[in-house]
Amino acid sequence: MRVITLIALLLVLFMGVAYGVFCATGEEPVDMKGQVVGVCYPDSQNVTNNTESVLVQGTMADNNQTMNISVKISEETIIMENSAGQSSNSSFENIQPGQAVEIRFTGPLLQSYPPQTTASQITILK
């Protein structure tokens, strides 16, 4: 009986370690891959347009549907640049129309035209 209990305990411990390693090294999946169509800069004179955003045309990962989405950039948004497999920090000023990007969303996708959301991470692909 002790051997069975010990084996069960070791199996549970092994599964916990494997899950922890997977969570620590696994990367969050990309929500959208696409191309930047336009860049919207904040307007200090207009209170309603005080955020940075990009219009992206691309494919949603969950349903392979191609669409345009307006993606807001917040203070928490991480912008990266990936060139030849090397990732480095970047900024909003480096996002240009025509660039390929991968986006991870945070929060809901608002059902407007075009749909709107906020990015948790944008990776510029070189």
Side-chain angles (χ1 to χ4, degrees):
M1 185 67 168
R2 287 186 178 183
V3 173
I4 294 174
T5 304
L6 182 61
I7 291 173
L9 183 61
L10 288 174
L11 181 63
V12 169
L13 183 62
F14 175 74
M15 289 173 49
V17 169
Y19 179 74
V21 168
F22 175 75
C23 288
T25 59
E27 209 173 286
E28 189 178 328
V30 174
D31 293 310
M32 180 181 197
K33 290 183 181 182
Q35 187 174 23
V36 176
V37 177
V39 180
C40 182
Y41 299 95
D43 184 1
S44 59
Q45 303 297 322
N46 186 350
V47 180
T48 60
N49 183 17
N50 59 0
T51 59
E52 300 167 333
S53 64
V54 292
L55 181 63
V56 178
Q57 180 180 29
T59 305
M60 301 293 289
D62 58 351
N63 61 7
N64 290 331
Q65 180 181 4
T66 300
M67 57 192 319
N68 291 340
I69 295 183
S70 176
V71 181
K72 294 180 185 177
I73 286 77
S74 70
E75 294 290 327
E76 292 81 31
T77 302
I78 299 168
I79 301 176
M80 303 292 292
E81 193 168 310
N82 190 343
S83 179
Q86 299 291 325
S87 292
S88 61
N89 289 329
S90 191
S91 65
F92 178 73
E93 289 77 26
N94 294 335
I95 299 175
Q96 302 295 323
Q99 289 178 319
V101 292
E102 294 179 338
I103 302 174
R104 290 178 178 86
F105 302 146
T106 181
L109 185 64
L110 301 177
Q111 298 299 316
S112 60
Y113 187 77
Q116 300 174 27
T117 191
T118 303
S120 64
Q121 181 175 344
I122 297 178
T123 304
I124 303 167
L125 305 175
K126 294 282 181 171

